[in-house]
Amino acid sequence: MKEVSSLLNYRESIKVVDATLRDGGLCNDFYFSDEFVKKLYNTNIEAGVDYMEMGYRASKKVFDESKFGKWKFCSDDHIREIVGENDTKLKLAIMADIGRHDKDDFDQRVNSPVDLVRVAAYIHQMPEAIDMIEDAAKKGYETSCNIMAISNAQKEDIEVALDMLASTPVDCIYIVDSFGSIYPEQMARIADLYVNSAIKHNKKVGVHAHNNQQLAFANTIECCGDGVDWLDATYLSMGRGAGNCAMELLLGFLKNPKYNVFPVYRFIEEEMIKLKESGIKWGYDVQYLITGQLNQHPRTAIQFTKDDRKDYAEFYKEIIG
């Protein structure tokens, strides 16, 4: 049982990472207006958020540039159009998906507004992920690694991946509940595995949760109480499918006075509600619950949503067949 002090006090080591543009961009193909991005940037500064993920650095050889907004590709020039020289305490991050990025698209850190490169990889992609991490670190970036879909991985394989990452310059290793299928008591054991490994090798641990079973916030604060320091969240929970841990919930929970939830509420009122009303869909619904309970990728539930279906029982039969 956790000490009450772990819930009523705060750790200086905790970092809040806003993933709205990146994970939320999966809901609207990254077509955010510059005005929206600028307001989100300013809100993160006011709220005391530590990192803002600006989007993906995706390969234009893999993705058709005409079919996505610019935050799918997230060039240094596009970032500077929003932040200038970013003379603030807010650090900027981008994500590179192994197999969907070009390593040569990253300039030296001294020439870039980006502080942190987040590498996303499945366990079988660890060698490529390590190559990417080492390249980014040599160029001067902070680095993190999201080990994807761990609910489908064997504990022994996760341990091997953690050992492999321990020998790299990676700064933070992420627990990622890709399918929103993990329960808090399971998350506690997973956090223990990651944190024990991280302590041995002077690494940090982060958590990125999905809300298929309405547990993204619960799993995030479970990890926070278990020594996980980097906490991902999105405004109004905007993210792929069922969405993520809500920023307004997380900042309302954290006790560090550097965080201020009021500008978050204002941004939700002025900007996020408009996105919802424009027809962009995300958030908890029964189809996402079903894929979460079955520990499946939400792609079928996303298509169910796009087709405006409501036949949940038939959908359940389809995906267990």
Side-chain angles (χ1 to χ4, degrees), residues 236-306:
L236 204 62
S237 193
M238 186 182 188
R240 185 200 64 190
N244 305 103
C245 175
M247 182 68 75
E248 57 274 19
L249 282 169
L250 183 59
L251 293 194
F253 165 79
L254 294 173
K255 303 303 184 286
N256 191 331
K258 80 172 184 177
Y259 297 122
N260 178 11
V261 75
F262 174 75
V264 176
Y265 293 137
R266 186 183 62 214
F267 184 80
I268 290 171
E269 174 189 341
E270 295 177 354
E271 300 298 331
M272 298 304 297
I273 299 303
K274 287 193 291 188
L275 289 186
K276 278 277 192 183
E277 291 175 345
S278 74
I280 300 170
K281 295 182 180 180
W282 74 86
Y284 169 81
D285 208 337
V286 175
Q287 62 271 28
Y288 296 117
L289 165 64
I290 292 170
T291 59
Q293 287 179 331
L294 295 174
N295 192 23
Q296 293 187 10
H297 193 288
R299 61 175 63 89
T300 53
I302 292 169
Q303 188 60 51
F304 180 98
T305 305
K306 288 179 178 177

Side-chain angles (χ1 to χ4, degrees), residues 55-204:
Y56 280 103
R57 183 67 58 86
S59 171
K60 295 176 184 177
K61 300 172 187 173
V62 177
F63 296 97
D64 185 344
E65 198 173 359
S66 69
K67 295 181 179 179
F68 298 93
K70 61 187 178 184
W71 305 107
K72 178 76 169 180
F73 308 97
C74 205
S75 72
D76 286 350
D77 288 341
H78 287 148
I79 295 172
R80 283 198 178 92
E81 289 171 3
I82 301 298
V83 309
E85 295 305 314
N86 187 35
D87 187 21
T88 74
K89 293 182 180 179
L90 176 66
K91 292 186 175 184
L92 305 179
I94 54 175
M95 180 166 280
D97 248 338
I98 293 303
R100 302 175 182 178
H101 76 288
D102 293 317
K103 192 164 61 174
D104 294 340
D105 282 346
F106 290 84
D107 199 351
Q108 296 292 322
R109 165 66 187 89
V110 69
N111 301 322
S112 173
V114 173
D115 300 284
L116 168 67
V117 173
R118 284 157 56 98
V119 177
Y122 293 95
I123 283 183
H124 70 275
Q125 297 172 318
M126 275 302 113
E128 296 170 89
I130 289 169
D131 182 60
M132 178 67 200
I133 288 164
E134 291 176 343
D135 179 74
K138 284 178 184 176
K139 290 175 178 175
Y141 296 96
E142 298 176 46
T143 59
S144 66
C145 184
N146 284 24
I147 306 177
M148 309 294 283
I150 60 166
S151 59
N152 273 351
Q154 298 294 320
K155 179 183 176 183
E156 293 79 7
D157 293 337
I158 295 173
E159 289 174 333
V160 169
L162 292 174
D163 285 342
M164 292 173 71
L165 288 169
S167 64
T168 76
V170 74
D171 296 290
C172 182
I173 303 169
Y174 262 84
I175 302 165
V176 184
D177 183 13
S178 300
F179 303 157
S181 63
I182 297 174
Y183 293 97
E185 59 268 28
Q186 296 172 304
M187 190 61 84
R189 294 193 293 271
I190 294 167
D192 187 58
L193 176 66
Y194 276 63
V195 170
N196 284 339
S197 175
I199 289 172
K200 293 176 187 175
H201 304 288
N202 196 30
K203 310 294 184 184
K204 295 292 186 181

